[in-house]
């Protein structure tokens, strides 16, 4: 099921990204020869108008074949004026960034949709919008604590805590903490809800987890549901899309800087195998989490593609900028060699990341 969801998510993101290139090129009067999902070998293809729409065997990407985008491809012919290279640098740049723009638009739409449906939100005195259905949520589990050995997980809602003689309803983190801290070593029945299903764990508080008092090793917050009307959701969705884009760009920049120094931590990076598991986890937590996760992946795809690296949209955009400054085209052989080298390095990175994904699963 996780693999199927992964393919659906990737299909949606790739189609949106490539549609951005496709529709902007079409609107600019550039001939588009092929719109493809996945990489060859080809499974299915059909030509409508001047464009062939293809579905390929390797569902890890996609492409739009724009006439004249590859250096040296166009020399003469009736469609010379409709080639990519014979359009202005501004139009070329707009076509190249079309995929990034549409991925960010998709992220904005998905995040706004989650806000319309209702998303979990931490209750805070600074909240501008009302939060309904406030409950105590387990936001984390301390390592090597009694709670880690129980059935509880981050995201569970606490219902009550009891010692067999007395119990309290989990009305706030403070109420739960006070009850637990007064019962060191006593087995406590902790009732919780996980994805709408109730459960119980028997956990005894111990000292040493936190300095002040005995604890079972859970982090808690008051969490409710933030649900916004359409116009506010769109505004807040835009703000959050911008924020997550900046955070993603900073994170990728930090990873690349450590990679240059040979200090990259690949455990913090997920490839196709890792994303399959993450998609499954997000789906298990509900449609809102799956939509939000898809939005974050879409933002990551946008930020990665805009990097000035050969074979990526950002690398091709860099070539256009250089040509605009120098007022002459870069030699086709140079561009092709750089793009091939960049693609090979990206495939090597994919292999390394996938290896670490598999190693984490084995461990």
């Amino acid at each position: 099921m996780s693999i199927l969801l992964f393919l659906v998510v990737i299909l949606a993101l790739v189609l949106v990204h490539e549609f951005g290139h496709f529709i902007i090129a079409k609107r600019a009067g550039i001939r588009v020869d092929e719109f493809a999902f996945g990489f060859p070998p080809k499974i299915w293809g059909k030509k409508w108008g001047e464009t062939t729409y293809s579905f390929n065997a390797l569902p890890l990407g996609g492409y739009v074949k724009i006439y004249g985008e590859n250096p040296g491809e166009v020399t003469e012919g009736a469609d010379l004026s409709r080639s990519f290279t014979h359009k202005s640098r501004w139009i070329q740049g707009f076509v190249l960034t079309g995929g990034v723009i549409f991925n960010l638009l998709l992220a904005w739409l998905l995040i706004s949709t989650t806000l319309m449906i209702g998303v979990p939100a931490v209750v805070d005195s600074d909240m501008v919008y009302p939060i309904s259905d406030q409950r105590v949520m387990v936001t984390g589990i301390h390592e090597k604590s009694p709670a880690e050995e129980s059935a509880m997980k981050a995201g569970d809602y606490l219902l009550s805590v009891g010692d067999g003689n007395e119990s309290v309803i989990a009305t706030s983190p403070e109420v739960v903490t006070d009850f637990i801290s007064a019962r060191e070593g006593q087995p406590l029945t902790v009732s919780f809800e996980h994805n709408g299903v109730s459960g119980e764990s028997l956990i005894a508080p111990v000292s040493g987890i936190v300095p002040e008092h005995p604890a079972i090793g859970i982090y808690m917050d008051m969490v409710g549901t933030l649900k916004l009307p359409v116009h506010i959701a769109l505004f807040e969705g835009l703000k959050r899309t911008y924020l997550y884009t900046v955070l993603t760009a900073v994170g990728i920049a930090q990873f690349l800087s450590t990679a240059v120094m040979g200090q990259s931590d690949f455990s913090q990076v997920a490839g196709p195998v890792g994303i399959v598991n993450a998609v499954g986890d997000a789906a298990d937590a509900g449609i809102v989490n799956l939509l939000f996760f898809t939005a974050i992946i879409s933002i990551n795809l946008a930020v990665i593609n805009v990097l000035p690296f050969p074979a990526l949209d950002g690398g091709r955009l860099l070539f256009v900028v250089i040509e605009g400054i120098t007022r002459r085209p870069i030699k086709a052989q140079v561009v092709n060699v750089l793009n091939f080298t960049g693609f090979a390095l990206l495939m090597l990175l994919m292999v390394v990341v996938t290896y670490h994904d598999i190693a984490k699963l084995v461990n």
Side-chain angles (χ1 to χ4, degrees):
M1 187 62 179
S2 294
I3 295 177
L4 179 61
L5 284 172
F6 167 77
L7 292 176
V8 170
V9 168
I10 292 298
L11 174 62
L13 296 180
V14 169
L15 288 179
V16 167
H17 182 91
E18 299 304 334
F19 182 75
H21 295 305
F22 172 84
I23 193 63
I24 293 175
K26 285 281 192 181
R27 296 294 293 178
I30 301 172
R31 195 181 87 197
V32 180
D33 294 330
E34 186 176 9
F35 186 112
F37 170 75
F39 296 116
K42 184 181 294 185
I43 297 176
W44 174 87
K46 185 172 179 60
K47 190 170 184 176
W48 281 295
E50 64 184 13
T51 305
T52 299
Y53 299 86
S54 308
F55 192 88
N56 297 324
L58 301 176
L60 298 177
Y63 59 89
V64 171
K65 189 176 180 182
I66 296 173
Y67 179 57
E69 186 177 13
N70 295 323
E73 180 183 5
V74 178
T75 55
E76 57 184 11
D79 274 353
L80 188 64
S81 62
R82 299 187 62 211
S83 68
F84 177 82
T85 51
H86 282 71
K87 297 297 180 179
S88 70
R89 305 296 181 197
W90 288 107
I91 291 179
Q92 291 180 23
F94 194 29
V95 171
L96 289 171
T97 56
V100 171
I101 293 170
F102 270 62
N103 275 132
L104 292 177
L105 288 175
L106 175 64
W108 175 28
L109 174 63
L110 291 176
I111 293 173
S112 299
T113 300
T114 64
L115 290 170
M116 295 177 209
I117 297 173
V119 297
V122 176
V123 178
D124 193 315
S125 58
D126 296 328
M127 288 297 297
V128 177
Y129 307 108
I131 297 178
S132 60
D133 191 26
Q134 297 183 16
R135 305 167 72 183
V136 178
M137 175 185 278
V138 178
T139 56
I141 304 290
H142 195 283
E143 291 185 357
K144 298 179 180 178
S145 68
E148 188 179 36
E149 300 175 3
S150 73
M152 297 178 66
K153 298 179 181 178
D156 291 348
Y157 289 104
L158 287 182
L159 302 177
S160 64
V161 184
D163 61 5
N165 298 315
E166 183 182 359
S167 64
V168 294
I169 303 298
T171 54
S172 73
E174 292 75 21
V175 168
V176 175
T177 299
D178 289 344
F179 188 87
I180 291 173
S181 62
R183 290 164 174 80
E184 181 176 4
Q186 289 184 246
L188 303 179
T189 300
V190 181
S191 299
F192 57 90
E193 182 182 296
H194 179 76
N195 288 343
V197 179
S198 298
E200 287 186 349
S201 284
L202 199 62
I203 311 175
V206 296
S207 297
I209 297 177
V210 294
E212 297 87 3
H213 50 74
I216 61 174
I218 58 174
Y219 302 98
M220 297 173 287
D221 258 319
M222 285 298 293
V223 174
T225 301
L226 176 63
K227 187 174 182 179
L228 302 176
V230 174
H231 63 291
I232 298 178
L234 289 171
F235 175 68
E236 285 295 322
L238 182 62
K239 286 169 57 179
R240 294 185 182 205
T241 301
Y242 170 76
L243 173 63
Y244 299 143
T245 302
V246 172
L247 291 174
T248 300
V250 171
I252 291 175
Q254 290 174 344
F255 173 78
L256 292 177
S257 65
T258 56
V260 171
M261 295 183 290
Q263 300 174 349
S264 297
D265 182 6
F266 281 94
S267 66
Q268 303 301 314
V269 182
V273 176
I275 295 176
V276 167
N277 288 328
V279 167
D281 291 341
D284 287 343
I287 184 64
V288 169
N289 287 276
L290 181 59
L291 292 176
F292 179 76
F293 180 78
T294 304
I296 296 301
I297 296 297
S298 190
I299 290 172
N300 274 266
L301 184 61
V303 173
I304 290 172
N305 263 282
V306 84
L307 293 174
F309 188 81
L312 295 176
D313 294 337
R316 299 183 182 215
L317 182 62
L318 178 61
F319 294 152
V320 170
V321 171
I322 292 173
E323 290 177 345
I325 294 173
T326 61
R327 301 290 180 180
R328 63 173 183 266
I330 302 172
K331 290 183 178 180
Q333 298 91 329
V334 174
V335 174
N336 289 332
V337 168
L338 287 174
N339 282 333
F340 177 80
T341 304
F343 182 78
L345 290 173
L346 288 174
M347 290 300 100
L348 177 61
L349 177 62
M350 182 70 71
V351 171
V352 172
V353 171
T354 302
Y355 168 79
H356 281 272
D357 279 347
I358 295 172
K360 282 187 283 187
L361 285 178
V362 172
N363 291 333

